[in-house]
């Protein structure tokens, strides 16, 4: 487990849906409202390659979660994130509240780009969803120093190695299967034992 997981009570796992990430975490970050549990740290994306996030971002299972300021450049020390596909809308109560971009990490190697298995989901609030979602008007938010432009400054990121998830689930299954194998093997031994008549 990563360092951020120590803030959760024992036995609890961090497994939020896309909607949870936008509504319960990103919205609260932008609104400067308290978030419980407050486990997702802020990381400067441009300072770290994805394999360097351990200990800096919240690690839950094989995924890293963190807030970062949005930037036009998604470059890192050894590569950059490049968007693939189109944005996916995130809804809450039948209303569009956010979007999810999918990005792939490329390593810079002299003149060529090398695609990696690292994936990042970047969650954004939609303009207007922020000002209406907490029941207040846009004017009341602007009086507190927040505006709909503020929602475009923060994003919440989920980063993972696309090969890592399948390997992790395979490892979990193999442990379970080895226990079953022992049971089946012991049943084979039972057939060889002769029982008294």
């Amino acid at each position: 487990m990563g360092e951020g997981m120590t803030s959760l009570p024992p036995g609890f796992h961090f497994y939020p849906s896309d909607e949870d990430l936008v509504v319960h975490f990103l919205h609260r970050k932008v609104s400067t409202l308290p978030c419980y549990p407050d486990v997702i740290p802020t990381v400067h994306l441009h300072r770290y390659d994805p394999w360097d996030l351990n200990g800096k971002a919240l690690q839950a299972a094989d995924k890293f979660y963190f807030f970062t300021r949005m930037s036009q450049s998604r470059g890192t020390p050894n590569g950059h994130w490049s968007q693939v596909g189109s944005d996916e809308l995130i809804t809450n109560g039948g209303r569009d509240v956010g979007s999810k971009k999918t990005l792939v990490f490329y390593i810079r190697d002299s003149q060529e780009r090398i695609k990696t298995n690292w994936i990042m989901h970047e969650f954004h609030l939609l303009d207007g969803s922020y000002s209406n979602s907490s029941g207040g008007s846009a004017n009341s938010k602007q009086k507190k120093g927040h505006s709909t432009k503020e929602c475009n400054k923060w994003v919440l990121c989920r980063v993972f190695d696309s090969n890592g998830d399948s390997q992790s689930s395979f490892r979990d299954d193999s442990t379970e299967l080895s226990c079953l194998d022992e049971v089946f093997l012991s049943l084979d031994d039972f057939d060889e034992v002769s029982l008294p008549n």
Side-chain angles (χ1 to χ4, degrees):
M1 281 191 192
E3 294 175 6
M5 289 302 289
T6 58
S7 300
L8 292 174
F12 281 80
H13 300 279
F14 189 74
Y15 192 73
S17 67
D18 293 352
E19 180 184 348
D20 293 335
L21 290 172
V22 170
V23 174
H24 299 293
F25 291 95
L26 184 56
H27 175 264
R28 296 184 81 73
K29 174 75 168 177
V30 169
S31 305
T32 63
L33 295 170
C35 185
Y36 301 105
D38 185 14
V39 294
I40 301 178
T42 298
V43 172
H44 297 286
L45 178 63
H46 65 277
R47 293 184 186 171
Y48 304 105
D49 293 314
W51 50 85
D52 294 328
L53 290 171
N54 192 16
K56 299 181 181 44
L58 168 67
Q59 184 176 1
D62 292 335
K63 296 176 176 68
F64 296 100
Y65 296 87
F66 58 92
F67 293 109
T68 192
R69 293 272 185 179
M70 196 166 107
S71 170
Q72 292 296 332
S73 169
R74 292 185 181 97
T76 69
N78 294 300
H80 67 279
W81 293 97
S82 183
Q83 185 171 350
V84 293
S86 57
D87 293 1
E88 180 183 326
L89 286 176
I90 308 296
T91 59
N92 176 270
R95 201 177 78 201
D96 295 337
V97 293
S99 66
K100 176 173 77 171
K101 296 181 185 301
T102 300
L103 300 100
V104 174
F105 188 74
Y106 287 87
I107 296 173
R108 282 187 300 267
D109 184 28
S110 59
Q111 296 297 328
E112 66 178 302
R113 296 178 344 150
I114 301 170
K115 184 177 178 180
T116 69
N117 293 321
W118 287 96
I119 304 292
M120 178 167 65
H121 292 154
E122 190 178 77
F123 295 91
H124 299 255
L125 287 176
L126 295 181
D127 287 334
S129 66
Y130 167 70
S131 59
N132 298 327
S133 58
S134 60
S137 69
N139 290 337
S140 67
K141 295 294 179 193
Q142 289 172 353
K143 287 178 187 175
K144 293 181 181 180
H146 303 292
S147 68
T148 56
K149 290 182 181 177
E150 181 70 18
C151 73
N152 291 325
K153 292 183 181 176
W154 286 105
V155 293
L156 194 158
C157 300
R158 175 175 55 210
V159 175
F160 57 96
D161 182 340
S162 60
N163 283 340
D165 286 335
S166 60
Q167 290 173 351
S168 171
S169 61
F170 178 75
R171 280 194 301 266
D172 292 342
D173 291 344
S174 68
T175 302
E176 200 170 2
L177 288 174
S178 68
C179 293
L180 289 173
D181 285 342
E182 287 182 28
V183 170
F184 289 126
L185 288 173
S186 68
L187 290 175
D188 288 341
D189 291 341
F190 184 72
D191 289 340
E192 294 175 7
V193 175
S194 60
L195 296 173
N197 291 346

